[in-house]
Amino acid sequence: MRQVLVSKPHHHYGIKKPARYASKYVAHDLTEAERKQLFIQKIYQCVTVFDFQDPDAELEGKEAKRNTLEEIHDYITSRTGIITADVYPAIFQMVQANIFRVIPPQVNAFGDPFDPEEDEPRDEPAWPHLSLVYHIFLRFLESSDFNNGLARSFIDQAFTTQLLDLFDCEDVRERELLKTVLHRIYGKMLGMRSFIRRSINNIFLQFIYETQ
């Protein structure tokens, strides 16, 4: 298991740590406050990012994280009143650590430049974790407890720019979820709409005039 440095928009790996994930929410001896702390603790645990380039590495830790992400998703989907101020830093740290990364140049299986007319797009190897992180973030954005004022300090121009950069990914599943996330942000964060429109316009112009 490797710790990501979330201050930069791509994956970093450091010292291995044992895979230890908190017990499930169903423990009957937990108070509501303790269950809330466990929820936040689990989110912070999922800041840890695994290297999926080696499919056989750290399988136990990968499975433990996937199970924890599923628990977080189920918990945030089935309950109300849990998206409070202390949850925002944890959610955004987890989202940034997992999805903000450098997208490698598109190449085919032979290492040649990717040809969309001839080559099959490459699936994202970390998708078992990434897909759950995206769905958790969507449930968070769609929650009736979502607070625009609290989110404003996290969903800024830098955050939105990094989201738009991810549209360079090859995996169509990720691009579909990115589209939905951006749509939700556009609908919720009125102050970001003008910036989002300008940014997308600039991407189109760059694609037309600066690429082949």
Coordinates of all heavy atoms in Angstrom, one line a residue, residues 4 11 17 35-37 40 61 78 80 86-87 90 95 97 104 110 139 143-144 147-148 168 188 204 210 212:
V4 N -0.3 8.5 -1.3 CA -0.3 9.5 -2.4 C 0.0 10.8 -1.8 O -0.5 11.1 -0.7 CB -1.6 9.5 -3.2 CG1 -2.7 10.0 -2.4 CG2 -1.4 10.2 -4.5
H11 N -0.3 10.6 -9.5 CA 0.0 9.6 -8.4 C 1.5 9.6 -8.1 O 2.3 9.6 -8.9 CB -0.4 8.2 -9.0 CG -1.9 8.1 -9.1 ND1 -2.5 6.9 -9.4 CD2 -2.9 8.9 -8.9 CE1 -3.8 7.0 -9.5 NE2 -4.1 8.2 -9.2
K17 N 2.7 0.5 3.5 CA 2.1 0.4 4.8 C 1.1 -0.8 4.8 O 0.6 -1.2 3.8 CB 1.3 1.7 5.1 CG 2.2 2.9 5.2 CD 1.4 4.1 5.6 CE 2.4 5.3 5.6 NZ 1.6 6.6 6.0
R35 N -20.2 6.4 14.5 CA -20.4 5.9 13.2 C -20.0 7.0 12.2 O -19.4 6.7 11.1 CB -21.8 5.5 13.0 CG -22.1 4.7 11.7 CD -23.5 4.2 11.6 NE -23.6 3.0 12.5 CZ -24.3 3.0 13.6 NH1 -24.9 4.0 14.0 NH2 -24.4 1.9 14.3
K36 N -20.3 8.3 12.5 CA -19.9 9.4 11.7 C -18.3 9.5 11.6 O -17.8 9.7 10.5 CB -20.4 10.7 12.2 CG -20.0 12.0 11.5 CD -20.6 12.0 10.1 CE -20.3 13.4 9.4 NZ -20.8 14.5 10.2
Q37 N -17.7 9.3 12.7 CA -16.2 9.4 12.7 C -15.6 8.2 11.9 O -14.6 8.4 11.2 CB -15.7 9.4 14.2 CG -15.8 10.7 14.9 CD -15.2 11.8 14.2 OE1 -15.8 12.8 13.7 NE2 -13.9 11.8 14.1
I40 N -15.8 9.1 8.2 CA -14.7 10.0 7.8 C -13.4 9.3 7.8 O -12.6 9.5 6.8 CB -14.7 11.3 8.7 CG1 -16.0 12.1 8.6 CG2 -13.5 12.1 8.4 CD1 -16.1 13.2 9.5
G61 N -4.4 -5.6 -0.3 CA -4.7 -4.2 -0.1 C -5.7 -3.6 -1.1 O -6.6 -2.8 -0.7
S78 N -27.4 5.7 1.2 CA -28.6 5.3 1.9 C -29.0 6.2 3.1 O -30.0 6.0 3.7 CB -28.4 3.9 2.4 OG -27.3 3.8 3.3
T80 N -29.1 10.2 5.1 CA -29.2 11.7 4.9 C -28.6 12.3 6.2 O -28.5 11.6 7.3 CB -30.6 12.2 4.7 OG1 -31.4 11.8 5.9 CG2 -31.2 11.6 3.5
D86 N -17.4 18.7 8.2 CA -16.1 18.0 8.4 C -15.9 16.9 7.4 O -14.9 16.3 7.3 CB -16.1 17.4 9.8 CG -17.4 16.6 10.2 OD1 -18.4 16.7 9.5 OD2 -17.4 16.0 11.3
V87 N -16.9 16.6 6.6 CA -16.8 15.6 5.5 C -16.2 16.1 4.3 O -15.5 15.4 3.5 CB -18.2 15.0 5.2 CG1 -18.2 14.0 4.0 CG2 -18.8 14.2 6.4
A90 N -12.4 15.6 3.6 CA -12.1 14.2 3.4 C -12.5 13.8 2.0 O -11.7 13.1 1.3 CB -12.8 13.3 4.5
V95 N -11.0 12.3 -3.5 CA -11.2 12.4 -5.0 C -10.0 12.9 -5.7 O -9.6 12.3 -6.7 CB -12.4 13.4 -5.2 CG1 -12.5 13.8 -6.7 CG2 -13.7 12.8 -4.8
A97 N -6.8 12.7 -4.7 CA -5.7 11.7 -4.7 C -5.9 10.6 -5.7 O -5.0 10.1 -6.3 CB -5.7 11.1 -3.3
P104 N -1.2 9.4 -19.6 CA -0.1 9.2 -20.5 C -0.6 9.4 -22.0 O -1.8 9.3 -22.3 CB 0.2 7.7 -20.2 CG -1.1 7.1 -19.7 CD -1.7 8.2 -18.9
F110 N 1.3 -1.6 -29.9 CA 2.7 -1.7 -30.5 C 3.5 -0.4 -30.1 O 4.6 -0.3 -30.5 CB 2.6 -1.8 -32.0 CG 1.8 -3.0 -32.4 CD1 0.5 -2.8 -32.9 CD2 2.3 -4.3 -32.4 CE1 -0.3 -3.9 -33.3 CE2 1.5 -5.4 -32.8 CZ 0.2 -5.2 -33.2
R139 N -22.6 10.9 -5.8 CA -23.6 10.8 -4.7 C -23.5 12.0 -3.8 O -24.5 12.6 -3.3 CB -23.5 9.5 -3.9 CG -23.7 8.2 -4.7 CD -25.2 8.0 -5.1 NE -25.5 8.8 -6.4 CZ -25.2 8.3 -7.6 NH1 -24.5 7.2 -7.7 NH2 -25.5 9.0 -8.6
S143 N -26.4 14.9 -3.3 CA -27.0 14.8 -2.0 C -27.8 16.0 -1.7 O -27.5 17.2 -2.1 CB -26.0 14.6 -0.9 OG -26.6 14.7 0.3
S144 N -29.0 15.8 -1.1 CA -29.8 17.0 -0.7 C -29.1 17.8 0.4 O -29.5 18.9 0.7 CB -31.1 16.5 -0.1 OG -31.0 15.6 1.0
N147 N -23.8 21.5 0.2 CA -23.8 22.9 0.5 C -22.9 23.6 -0.4 O -21.7 23.4 -0.4 CB -23.4 23.1 2.0 CG -23.5 24.5 2.4 OD1 -22.9 25.4 1.9 ND2 -24.4 24.8 3.4
N148 N -23.4 24.5 -1.3 CA -22.6 25.2 -2.2 C -21.6 26.1 -1.5 O -20.4 26.2 -2.0 CB -23.5 26.1 -3.1 CG -24.3 25.3 -4.1 OD1 -24.7 24.2 -3.8 ND2 -24.6 25.9 -5.2
D168 N -8.8 13.7 -21.5 CA -7.8 13.1 -22.4 C -7.6 11.6 -22.2 O -6.9 10.9 -22.9 CB -6.4 13.8 -22.2 CG -6.3 15.1 -22.9 OD1 -7.1 15.4 -23.9 OD2 -5.5 15.9 -22.5
K188 N -24.8 22.9 -10.0 CA -24.7 23.3 -8.6 C -24.0 24.6 -8.4 O -24.5 25.4 -7.6 CB -24.1 22.2 -7.8 CG -24.8 20.9 -7.7 CD -25.8 20.8 -6.5 CE -26.4 19.5 -6.4 NZ -27.3 19.4 -5.2
F204 N -11.7 23.4 -27.2 CA -12.1 23.2 -28.6 C -11.1 23.9 -29.6 O -10.7 23.4 -30.6 CB -13.5 23.6 -28.8 CG -14.5 22.7 -28.2 CD1 -15.8 23.2 -27.9 CD2 -14.3 21.4 -27.9 CE1 -16.8 22.4 -27.3 CE2 -15.2 20.6 -27.3 CZ -16.5 21.1 -27.0
E210 N -4.2 23.6 -32.8 CA -2.9 23.2 -32.3 C -2.6 21.7 -32.4 O -1.6 21.3 -32.0 CB -2.7 23.7 -30.9 CG -2.8 25.2 -30.8 CD -2.6 25.7 -29.3 OE1 -2.1 24.8 -28.5 OE2 -2.9 26.8 -29.0
Q212 N -3.1 17.9 -34.8 CA -3.2 17.4 -36.2 C -4.5 16.6 -36.4 O -4.6 16.0 -37.4 CB -1.9 16.5 -36.5 CG -0.6 17.3 -36.4 CD 0.6 16.4 -36.7 OE1 0.4 15.2 -36.8 NE2 1.7 17.0 -36.8

